[in-house]
Amino acid sequence: MNQRTFTMYFKRTGTIPRKNSLVSILALFLFATTLFAQTGKDLELWYQHPAGSWNEALPVGNGRLGAMVFGGIASERLQLNEESIWSGRPEDFVHPEAKAALPQVRKLLFAGQYAAAQKLAEEKMMGPRKSGSSYQTLGDLLLDFVLPNGELQGYRRELDLETAIARVQYRVGNVGFQREIFSSAPAKALVVRLTADKKGALNFSVGMRRSGNKAAIDVAGQTITLSEHVGNGVGVRLVSKVQVIAEGGTINPVAGKLQVTKADAVTLLLTAATDYWGKDPQATADQELQAAAQQTYADLKQAHIADYQRYFKRVDLDLGTNNSTLFPMDARIAALQQGNEDPQLLELYYQFGRYLLISSSRPGGLPANLQGIWADGLNPPWDADYHININIQMNYWPAEVANLSELHQPFLDFLNALRADGRKTARDMYGLKGTVAHFTTDAWHFTETYGKPQWAMWPMGMAWSARHLWEHYQFTADKDYLAKQAYPALKEAAEFCMAWLTPNPATGHLVSGPSISPENTFTAPDGSVATMVMGPTMDHMIIRELLGNTLAAARVLNMDKAFQKQLEQTSARLAPTKIGSDGRIMEWTEEFKEPEPGHRHISHLYGLHPGNEINRQTPELLAAARKTIDHRLANGGGHTGWSRAWIVNFFARLQDGDAAYQNLVALLQKSTLPNLLDNHPPFQIDGNFGATAGISEMLLQSHAGEIELLPAMPKAWQQGYIHGIVARGGFEVDIDWEGGKLKGVKLLSRNGGTCKLRYGNQVVELNTEKGGTYRLGRQLQKL
């Protein structure tokens, strides 16, 4: 523990000791006493005060049912969410004049009349969406405590990533109190356990509420029921129940709450359901509550930990050690902002991303939304919807590589659920076959577009998302999945894109349009600020990749020979990625000036990441990509959390470990809330997931036909390991390093087959058997 670290802590707490002073000695003594009272676990977020706001509360979740734990002393608020609580309804809103307007808009764009084209597209192509929709809070579970007389001592609030359990503990007078909170997937319930170290010391009330004050709340026996038809009747029907189970003492209904008096210990069980999946929410919530109540708390806890750890324990990361875990999380973040190095915080941040995915995305449910499952109020930012112009894709970047492949499934299922409406949109809006989606969607699976062309005239949402269908196959080699789920969706998305492309009269190349480079603008030759073009670079990168992935899938399945030929022919005619006169990758078909040269979207680097068009086999494009990202950063880029996370992945692919590390640290310094959630601002969860993917890319890459070890190792990580990370082809990899160099590697081949392994300029090829384990040394020699 160095002097600088001490100073950071005392600055945070407002007490800076003077050298050789009585105050200094006393302060250091108190400081040491505090430190020795802490556990110092590597994978624990802990604090010495309750959450002052939602941005400090701690998230728990079972994939479907979540809570934000505030950790109050005299009162506790658990802000609740359930993944299917959405206002709105299925709605068709294709503009009836869009199909007729399409050729007119294209003609104007080819003629360079950008303002006129944009005006026409806004008037004739943007859909008249009326009802709207939003993800919403379930409500609040409220606990109000009657505490004994005496001073507060030993307060600690924590989230243990090893067990997915949040805890609050403190002592008032001569009584110690503890709360444990977790959301159990096996029990389908939120579980709260309250204990005290003195019999009969628990005295508190339990209540529920929901924003808008339209929910019906009923108290009967030991159970409170909250119910509402959300969205003023335009949305799901919601039912949530909480049961109070006391050991000792009494439970009585008082003013719409349940009053617990003189209990030794209490367990609260909360369930919630909606009619989103076609089931009766009242019956579902009742059945789940009854099933959970038949189990002891010890059994509930044991089953929860076992279920969670079967995912979490797959990957172990060590980036180095110091004494930072002895400090509260808010102090560690403050110290990092002042330049203190904290490798264990980066390790924890990586695993926190995995924790969030386990807690917000489970098979059979909806995918993680813009806030995972944790959103407050009836109208969270951007409706906490499914933005498909990068955000939901970023949510799932770490799924395969971070050994959470099953948790990818909700997104893959969601894409297939979009296909039906996407066919209607392709037909009614554009007069084309195939399936299409635009910049965003919701739980009702709309694919039409609406709003302003700057963000809305972009028909590549399905095409981008479809890469995840192929990625899942690359990691799993599951041909049954490929044939039944992935290939049909890939084919439909490719059919739309091939029909959508049109020849550029000036070049003869096939181009996409009208379209945009998501949310960015350019200055047209007449000085106006425009957004739409024919042939944005990102569209072509996405389409080229989609056609290639669809072709590869058809070849694996040995089907659709004629369609394979179409894919090949269309790809050959697609407009290529171009480098501008300044050496940067061109974002549009012309070298327009940019009103926002530091724009948060860096769409024309899609081919670098998440795509693989730009790699070591394309050195000119690789150099141009580096100039592109340097230019963005020089002009203020990376100023939002998710954008900074994307930049970490860019530099990892550029194999600049120090730049990737610097941007990872900057993400924590500038775009991370006290509870480690990503700050756009406001909170968006994609930055958390993007950063976990970025750390993975720094340590292992497999997108370019070989498995590359430590491709972007920063100087700051001199010694460490990552065990359990996964490469394409289904290879589970353990990597150890020391002195910043590879020490050894172990591979488990899940599927068998050939594996090309690279470390620096050393390359070896292994012929593996399914289930076989292979060990290699620092020179990739077999051990």
Side-chain angles (χ1 to χ4, degrees):
M1 190 81 57
N2 56 40
Q3 180 62 45
R4 182 179 185 181
T5 308
F6 277 114
T7 303
M8 293 294 179
Y9 180 81
F10 286 116
K11 282 183 177 179
R12 181 70 177 173
T13 57
T15 307
I16 303 178
R18 297 188 300 272
K19 291 182 180 179
N20 302 320
S21 69
L22 182 60
V23 172
S24 177
I25 295 169
L26 179 60
L28 288 171
F29 172 76
L30 292 173
F31 176 65
T33 302
T34 301
L35 292 187
F36 283 118
Q38 309 302 336
T39 62
K41 291 182 180 178
D42 285 359
L43 297 179
E44 202 170 65
L45 290 74
W46 67 273
Y47 306 80
Q48 291 180 307
H49 56 83
S53 69
W54 194 94
N55 289 338
E56 296 179 9
L58 297 172
V60 296
N62 65 3
R64 178 184 65 86
L65 180 63
M68 296 294 286
V69 181
F70 283 69
I73 299 165
S75 62
E76 171 67 283
R77 176 194 177 199
L78 300 180
Q79 186 267 313
L80 308 168
N81 286 102
E82 200 277 345
E83 65 173 6
S84 63
I85 299 176
W86 279 82
S87 65
R89 61 189 170 200
E91 181 183 9
D92 288 327
F93 53 92
V94 167
H95 197 295
E97 299 179 73
K99 194 188 304 183
L102 176 60
Q104 300 176 52
V105 172
R106 284 177 165 176
K107 184 177 180 180
L108 289 169
L109 289 174
F110 278 133
Q113 298 181 43
Y114 301 104
Q118 187 163 318
K119 182 174 184 293
L120 182 61
E122 187 167 343
E123 291 174 354
K124 304 294 186 181
M125 300 187 77
M126 299 298 101
R129 192 181 185 204
K130 295 177 181 178
S131 66
S133 64
S134 181
Y135 182 61
Q136 295 187 347
T137 182
L138 161 59
D140 295 325
L141 179 64
L142 303 171
L143 310 179
D144 292 298
F145 298 96
V146 179
L147 298 172
N149 295 324
E151 293 185 1
L152 173 70
Q153 296 177 320
Y155 180 91
R156 181 184 174 97
R157 176 172 57 100
E158 67 184 44
L159 174 61
D160 185 349
L161 301 187
E162 295 272 5
T163 59
I165 296 176
R167 292 185 185 85
V168 182
Q169 58 188 35
Y170 53 86
R171 178 169 291 275
V172 178
N174 64 348
V175 182
F177 297 93
Q178 177 170 288
R179 302 196 287 274
E180 287 190 333
I181 305 101
F182 59 87
S183 188
S184 167
K188 301 177 182 177
L190 182 75
V191 182
V192 182
R193 176 71 169 176
L194 301 103
T195 57
D197 61 7
K198 182 178 179 182
K199 283 189 172 293
L202 290 174
N203 299 279
F204 65 97
S205 66
V206 182
M208 296 187 77
R209 71 181 179 195
R210 188 168 193 269
S211 300
N213 298 316
K214 294 182 180 179
I217 298 175
D218 300 305
V219 179
Q222 298 178 359
T223 303
I224 303 174
T225 301
L226 179 151
S227 59
E228 183 178 344
H229 192 168
V230 310
N232 294 315
V234 183
V236 299
R237 296 180 185 274
L238 156 70
V239 175
S240 181
K241 292 177 164 293
V242 60
Q243 182 173 340
V244 181
I245 303 170
E247 298 170 25
T250 60
I251 304 173
N252 295 295
V254 178
K257 298 182 179 182
L258 288 174
Q259 188 75 43
V260 178
T261 305
K262 295 184 178 179
D264 302 330
V266 177
T267 301
L268 308 179
L269 301 174
L270 183 142
T271 60
T274 75
D275 61 359
Y276 178 81
W277 302 104
K279 296 181 179 180
D280 178 1
Q282 179 76 41
T284 302
D286 273 335
Q287 291 165 6
E288 292 174 352
L289 187 61
Q290 290 172 19
Q294 291 173 4
Q295 302 177 61
T296 67
Y297 175 73
D299 288 343
L300 288 166
K301 183 176 178 179
Q302 182 180 19
H304 158 71
I305 293 173
D307 169 78
Y308 168 76
Q309 289 188 343
R310 71 189 173 101
Y311 296 111
F312 187 76
K313 288 290 190 179
R314 294 174 182 175
V315 175
D316 189 13
L317 173 66
D318 186 340
L319 297 176
T321 59
N322 60 17
N323 293 326
S324 62
T325 57
L326 300 176
F327 290 88
M329 182 54 62
D330 43 2
R332 292 173 70 179
I333 293 175
L336 192 75
Q337 290 169 344
Q338 297 298 318
N340 191 60
E341 291 191 358
D342 192 341
Q344 285 178 310
L345 179 55
L346 299 180
E347 170 195 331
L348 185 149
Y349 190 65
Y350 176 86
Q351 294 286 23
F352 185 58
R354 296 182 69 248
Y355 165 83
L356 292 172
L357 192 60
I358 298 167
S359 303
S360 64
S361 181
R362 292 290 189 101
L366 287 167
N369 64 44
L370 203 58
Q371 293 193 270
I373 53 171
W374 301 278
D376 199 8
L378 303 182
N379 297 106
W382 299 284
D383 302 319
D385 63 10
Y386 298 110
H387 266 63
I388 48 177
N389 66 0
I390 188 172
N391 308 102
I392 191 172
Q393 292 96 333
M394 186 179 284
N395 284 2
Y396 288 91
W397 285 354
E400 301 291 344
V401 68
N403 212 336
L404 298 172
S405 183
E406 304 96 315
L407 309 187
H408 208 169
Q409 197 62 50
F411 182 35
L412 307 181
D413 291 342
F414 186 76
L415 294 179
N416 272 282
L418 284 178
R419 286 167 58 197
D421 193 77
R423 289 185 209 110
K424 289 193 299 181
T425 300
R427 181 193 65 214
D428 298 343
M429 184 172 180
Y430 300 117
L432 304 175
K433 65 178 182 178
T435 188
V436 65
H438 292 82
F439 74 103
T440 193
T441 186
D442 65 5
W444 310 111
H445 306 116
F446 75 84
T447 55
E448 303 90 332
T449 194
Y450 68 99
K452 298 290 184 180
Q454 181 174 342
W455 62 80
M457 192 57 250
W458 187 73
M460 292 291 113
M462 179 66 80
W464 180 341
S465 298
R467 85 176 313 273
H468 286 258
L469 295 160
W470 177 244
E471 284 278 283
H472 186 65
Y473 171 74
Q474 286 190 296
F475 280 88
T476 64
D478 184 342
K479 285 189 179 181
D480 188 59
Y481 151 82
L482 183 66
K484 294 179 180 178
Q485 183 173 2
Y487 181 66
L490 285 164
K491 183 177 180 180
E492 281 197 331
E495 284 175 331
F496 171 80
C497 287
M498 287 196 295
W500 168 252
L501 292 167
T502 191
N504 184 329
T507 66
H509 288 129
L510 293 178
V511 294
S512 169
S515 190
I516 61 170
S517 193
E519 302 186 22
N520 203 0
T521 59
F522 60 89
T523 302
D526 64 0
S528 63
V529 175
T531 186
M532 291 190 331
V533 295
M534 294 299 298
T537 297
M538 183 194 219
D539 281 21
H540 299 158
M541 289 176 165
I542 291 172
I543 294 170
R544 189 164 22 250
E545 177 185 65
L546 171 64
L547 302 188
N549 291 346
T550 307
L551 178 61
R555 286 173 173 168
V556 169
L557 297 172
N558 193 27
M559 61 190 299
D560 287 342
K561 298 294 185 180
F563 186 61
Q564 288 185 38
K565 194 69 174 175
Q566 283 182 270
L567 292 165
E568 291 173 333
Q569 291 171 344
T570 304
S571 296
R573 296 181 59 199
L574 193 59
T577 300
K578 295 195 295 185
I579 299 173
S581 59
D582 60 359
R584 291 185 289 141
I585 290 175
M586 289 173 58
E587 188 162 1
W588 297 279
T589 48
E590 299 178 45
E591 293 190 69
F592 297 117
K593 291 183 179 179
E594 303 167 86
E596 295 181 75
H599 196 269
R600 60 194 175 277
H601 284 262
I602 315 173
S603 303
H604 46 317
L605 291 190
Y606 177 95
L608 177 65
H609 184 277
N612 59 6
E613 174 182 326
I614 303 172
N615 54 51
R616 66 168 65 246
Q617 280 77 47
T618 59
E620 289 185 0
L621 288 177
L622 209 59
R626 178 60 191 246
K627 286 189 177 181
T628 303
I629 190 65
D630 286 346
H631 181 80
R632 271 289 204 268
L633 286 172
N635 287 278
H639 51 279
T640 68
W642 65 263
S643 182
R644 182 72 70 177
W646 199 5
I647 289 167
V648 174
N649 285 273
F650 285 148
F651 277 120
R653 289 281 175 93
L654 290 168
Q655 302 200 344
D656 188 336
D658 289 334
Y661 173 80
Q662 290 161 11
N663 280 276
L664 182 62
V665 171
L667 178 63
L668 280 156
Q669 290 174 328
K670 301 177 181 180
S671 301
T672 299
L673 296 166
N675 56 9
L676 280 194
L677 290 176
D678 172 68
N679 196 18
H680 175 79
F683 161 54
Q684 283 186 197
I685 204 165
D686 42 16
N688 288 102
F689 294 134
T692 293
I695 294 172
S696 300
E697 289 283 337
M698 293 168 72
L699 301 175
L700 180 78
Q701 294 177 20
S702 61
H703 61 284
E706 54 191 18
I707 299 173
E708 189 159 6
L709 308 173
L710 308 181
M713 172 61 64
K715 295 184 182 69
W717 297 345
Q718 284 296 298
Q719 186 163 323
Y721 61 79
I722 187 164
H723 294 167
I725 201 168
V726 183
R728 290 166 183 83
F731 296 96
E732 192 169 313
V733 186
D734 293 356
I735 309 171
D736 293 78
W737 66 88
E738 60 183 5
K741 304 293 184 181
L742 179 68
K743 181 180 179 182
V745 59
K746 183 179 81 171
L747 279 81
L748 169 63
S749 178
R750 295 175 174 175
N751 307 312
T754 301
C755 168
K756 184 182 286 187
L757 201 64
R758 173 184 290 273
Y759 175 63
N761 293 323
Q762 303 169 66
V763 181
V764 299
E765 194 167 289
L766 302 175
N767 293 314
T768 71
E769 296 182 359
K770 184 175 181 178
T773 299
Y774 305 85
R775 298 176 185 274
L776 297 92
R778 63 180 71 245
Q779 303 297 324
L780 298 187
Q781 76 277 17
K782 292 183 181 179
L783 299 177

